[in-house]
Amino acid sequence: MELLPYIKYIAVLILVLGLIGLLTLIARKFGMVAKADGKRGEKKRLGVTQVASVDAKRKLVLVRRDDQEHLLLLGPERDLIIEQNIPIKRRPEQENRPSPFTTETEQQEPLAPKLPPLHKRVEQSK
């Protein structure tokens, strides 16, 4: 059994992979690859919070934008907005901190009014 052809195949494979890597580096150097990231250390305004599969073709995606979230149903035929402008629930340790998107002169208002429990609202409407 001859080992020389196998060694040649492996050497050519390494050469081709090296050329692909080199072309990728050149493309990045000259800006041929789009960059979606902002500056380092800068708080990102857009992000995917959570993804859940509904079935084999459709997914529910919770997208965060600034201080709002949007629930999207993504599928092969069409994309639907299920719910939009959902206020982000803050953890207790975050409530005392100001939002990075507001200035000091802006006053923060509650994101959603506090409602009484449902059984009390039903009794009041009768």
Side-chain angles (χ1 to χ4, degrees), residues 15-66:
L15 178 70
V16 169
L17 291 176
L19 288 174
I20 291 173
L22 182 65
L23 288 175
T24 303
L25 290 175
I26 290 171
R28 285 186 183 173
K29 178 76 173 171
F30 290 110
M32 295 179 188
V33 178
K35 293 182 181 179
D37 293 341
K39 296 176 184 173
R40 289 190 178 194
E42 181 179 314
K43 180 154 173 59
K44 295 182 181 180
R45 295 182 56 204
L46 184 64
V48 176
T49 304
Q50 194 170 6
V51 178
S53 294
V54 175
D55 56 26
K57 294 183 178 181
R58 295 180 297 173
K59 291 183 180 183
L60 278 172
V61 179
L62 190 61
V63 178
R64 176 191 48 80
R65 176 191 54 86
D66 294 336

Side-chain angles (χ1 to χ4, degrees), residues 15-125:
L15 178 70
V16 169
L17 291 176
L19 288 174
I20 291 173
L22 182 65
L23 288 175
T24 303
L25 290 175
I26 290 171
R28 285 186 183 173
K29 178 76 173 171
F30 290 110
M32 295 179 188
V33 178
K35 293 182 181 179
D37 293 341
K39 296 176 184 173
R40 289 190 178 194
E42 181 179 314
K43 180 154 173 59
K44 295 182 181 180
R45 295 182 56 204
L46 184 64
V48 176
T49 304
Q50 194 170 6
V51 178
S53 294
V54 175
D55 56 26
K57 294 183 178 181
R58 295 180 297 173
K59 291 183 180 183
L60 278 172
V61 179
L62 190 61
V63 178
R64 176 191 48 80
R65 176 191 54 86
D66 294 336
D67 284 337
Q68 300 290 318
E69 289 182 331
H70 307 282
L71 183 62
L72 309 173
L73 178 64
L74 305 179
E77 304 90 32
R78 70 175 80 149
D79 303 329
L80 296 172
I81 299 174
I82 304 296
E83 189 174 353
Q84 60 185 358
N85 298 327
I86 306 167
I88 294 177
K89 294 180 182 174
R90 293 180 178 259
R91 292 178 285 199
E93 64 268 7
Q94 290 180 332
E95 288 187 17
N96 295 334
R97 279 192 277 163
S99 172
F101 303 110
T102 58
T103 61
E104 292 179 12
T105 58
E106 294 179 25
Q107 293 183 0
Q108 290 187 355
E109 297 178 13
L111 296 176
K114 296 211 176 197
L115 297 174
L118 182 61
H119 66 279
K120 290 184 180 179
R121 286 186 278 162
V122 171
E123 289 172 0
Q124 289 174 356
S125 65

